[in-house]
Amino acid sequence: VEEGLEVAAPLAYWYGHANLAENPELYKALVRRLAAAVDQRRQNDPEAAAAGLVVNTAGWVEGLGYELLLDACKALGADTVLVMGADRLYAQLRSDLPAPGTAAAGGPGGAGCNVVKLPRSGGVVTRDTKFRRATRKARVREYFYGPPAAGRPGRGLSPAMVEYAWARLGVYRVGGDKVSAAMLPVGQRSALDPLRAERVPVLTQDLLHAVLAVCHPVIADDGTVVFGRDDGPSPQEGGE
């Protein structure tokens, strides 16, 4: 999408964590990058622009999770938000997202955002942490080995092993070290850049059982690696 690739090719951004609280600023940056790619696709494809966009958000809707939800709604320019069986969330969104035609939406004719409440289907239950973890593990396995083959044992893909010397590889972590808010003076915020790329030693326990992404980073003039900036393509694009 960003580089004029085949329109049917998927566009994926690598966040690298199962929990959005690990690096919320990186998540926001990736959502903004995705929104920019979607806007470009709409400009280049009238059919895609007319078709609209359906966004499936995360299920974390309290505290920081709610802030990330609001940020995604604004970044993606959502004009309709559907809330299923959550009275409190519905009331919060009605209060924080400008309704069409209101002063906050730009006055009469302003687009704004419609918040619509839908009833939850009977028999629906909340998925617990254990179920979500098992589902995530199954999806990672399916990515590498393919879905179960119908009528025969095994799966459709057979990943091959490619060996590289450690000296040829560069492993980076976005965000680097974190400082707990409890360790900072009252009212102060950490000066560490949450989008800073920090090189990880290859011989470290941090890489044990880790899933890495093949990235395309932006290299600054001084040779440093820039991750997730708005002035360049995100290095989180690519496969696992």
Side-chain angles (χ1 to χ4, degrees):
V1 175
E2 292 181 331
E3 305 297 335
L5 300 177
E6 170 64 38
V7 295
L11 176 65
Y13 292 86
W14 179 252
Y15 174 61
H17 304 283
N19 190 342
L20 299 184
E22 289 290 339
N23 195 337
E25 293 303 320
L26 173 60
Y27 179 78
K28 291 180 181 180
L30 296 182
V31 171
R32 289 193 293 269
R33 175 56 58 188
L34 177 61
V38 170
D39 288 341
Q40 183 175 346
R41 170 70 182 277
R42 287 172 172 171
Q43 295 174 10
N44 298 334
D45 188 345
E47 292 186 0
L53 177 69
V54 177
V55 180
N56 182 21
T57 62
W60 183 25
V61 294
E62 297 180 356
L64 177 59
Y66 179 72
E67 295 178 15
L68 295 176
L69 174 62
L70 278 181
D71 186 80
C73 290
K74 296 174 182 178
L76 294 166
D79 57 11
T80 303
V81 175
L82 305 180
V83 182
M84 299 186 65
D87 295 336
R88 180 182 177 184
L89 177 61
Y90 173 73
Q92 287 179 303
L93 291 174
R94 284 287 302 271
S95 174
D96 293 332
L97 293 177
T102 61
C113 181
N114 288 299
V115 182
V116 181
K117 183 181 177 183
L118 299 177
R120 179 177 296 180
S121 301
V124 173
V125 296
T126 302
R127 295 173 295 179
D128 58 18
T129 302
K130 182 178 180 181
F131 178 85
R132 291 175 182 269
R133 185 181 296 113
T135 302
R136 184 165 57 246
K137 182 178 179 180
R139 293 294 293 174
V140 172
R141 180 175 178 80
E142 182 177 321
Y143 177 90
F144 289 103
Y145 295 95
R152 64 179 187 274
R155 294 176 178 254
L157 301 179
S158 299
M161 180 180 296
V162 180
E163 295 185 1
Y164 280 89
W166 282 119
R168 297 180 57 189
L169 300 178
V171 181
Y172 288 82
R173 174 176 55 199
V174 181
D177 296 328
K178 300 181 178 64
V179 177
S180 173
M183 300 177 62
L184 297 173
V186 177
Q188 296 294 319
R189 302 182 64 180
S190 174
L192 297 178
D193 185 358
L195 301 183
R196 179 174 58 89
E198 179 184 83
R199 187 155 189 165
V200 179
V202 291
L203 298 179
T204 175
Q205 289 292 324
D206 292 343
L207 296 182
L208 185 63
H209 304 307
V211 179
L212 306 181
V214 178
C215 299
H216 308 281
V218 178
I219 307 299
D221 294 337
D222 59 358
T224 58
V225 181
V226 181
F227 279 73
R229 298 300 187 185
D230 290 336
D231 55 356
S234 169
Q236 280 73 32
E237 302 168 30
E240 299 175 16

